[in-house]
Amino acid sequence: MGNASGTIVNVDILVPNQTRYLGLMGNIAEQVAKELDVFTGDRDTLAYHLNLAVTEAMVNAIQNTSPDDAKKAVRVCMHIEDENLCIRVYDHGQGFDLNAVPTPDFEELNERGRGIFLIRALMDSVDYRKTECGNVLEMRKKLT
């Protein structure tokens, strides 16, 4: 996975639009974190954070996809770009306004918006936009 000039990571995975694949994708994100030789911080913490962020992003993607589109896949891409680990999670739903997601009330157990709040807390930047390939939640983590 690595070479003399640093790790090259280019992961592009399609999984069915089902929650049973959350653990698999979280584990893949953890393994990517453990292979990043350019990262100098706490690797175990990074692995845990990436697992959480990818899992939450996938939950969002699945929730945003209408039941009619249940056969559509969720696409997760991870690569290194300008000393950032860039993770993109694509969905085929209606989309949402990232800036309109309220900070959750943690007294309410079923509060929507908790996933986005967590992702924002764990990652260095979060963006959500429509593309030709569907909606994409883009998360970046600085590696240096």
Side-chain angles (χ1 to χ4, degrees), residues 65-121:
T65 303
S66 72
D68 302 340
D69 288 335
K71 291 185 177 64
K72 289 202 170 156
V74 176
R75 181 178 176 205
V76 180
C77 304
M78 301 179 217
H79 67 278
I80 294 175
E81 196 175 278
D82 304 325
E83 298 184 338
N84 287 278
L85 178 64
C86 179
I87 303 172
R88 294 186 179 104
V89 178
Y90 294 84
D91 73 73
H92 298 278
Q94 294 298 305
F96 64 95
D97 180 355
L98 184 66
N99 297 317
V101 175
T103 300
D105 174 359
F106 287 102
E107 301 301 311
E108 290 290 322
L109 287 176
N110 62 349
E111 185 65 43
R112 288 185 68 88
R114 186 171 294 182
I116 291 295
F117 178 83
L118 252 177
I119 291 167
R120 281 183 152 148

Side-chain angles (χ1 to χ4, degrees), residues 12-141:
D12 193 342
I13 301 172
L14 289 169
V15 291
N17 191 41
Q18 297 165 19
T19 53
R20 66 182 188 164
Y21 292 95
L22 294 173
L24 171 67
M25 296 309 298
N27 289 339
I28 290 170
E30 278 198 24
Q31 288 305 313
V32 166
K34 290 174 180 173
E35 293 292 334
L36 296 173
D37 53 349
V38 293
F39 182 69
T40 54
D42 182 338
R43 213 169 280 273
D44 288 341
T45 300
L46 178 68
Y48 178 65
H49 287 180
L50 292 184
N51 184 332
L52 265 179
V54 167
T55 302
E56 291 294 339
M58 277 194 65
V59 167
N60 270 4
I62 291 166
Q63 286 175 344
N64 282 333
T65 303
S66 72
D68 302 340
D69 288 335
K71 291 185 177 64
K72 289 202 170 156
V74 176
R75 181 178 176 205
V76 180
C77 304
M78 301 179 217
H79 67 278
I80 294 175
E81 196 175 278
D82 304 325
E83 298 184 338
N84 287 278
L85 178 64
C86 179
I87 303 172
R88 294 186 179 104
V89 178
Y90 294 84
D91 73 73
H92 298 278
Q94 294 298 305
F96 64 95
D97 180 355
L98 184 66
N99 297 317
V101 175
T103 300
D105 174 359
F106 287 102
E107 301 301 311
E108 290 290 322
L109 287 176
N110 62 349
E111 185 65 43
R112 288 185 68 88
R114 186 171 294 182
I116 291 295
F117 178 83
L118 252 177
I119 291 167
R120 281 183 152 148
L122 298 172
M123 303 300 280
D124 292 313
S125 75
V126 182
D127 182 43
Y128 186 80
R129 63 188 182 275
K130 288 189 181 298
T131 71
E132 305 88 56
C133 308
N135 305 308
V136 59
L137 180 69
E138 183 177 285
M139 306 169 283
R140 290 176 178 270
K141 188 77 177 172

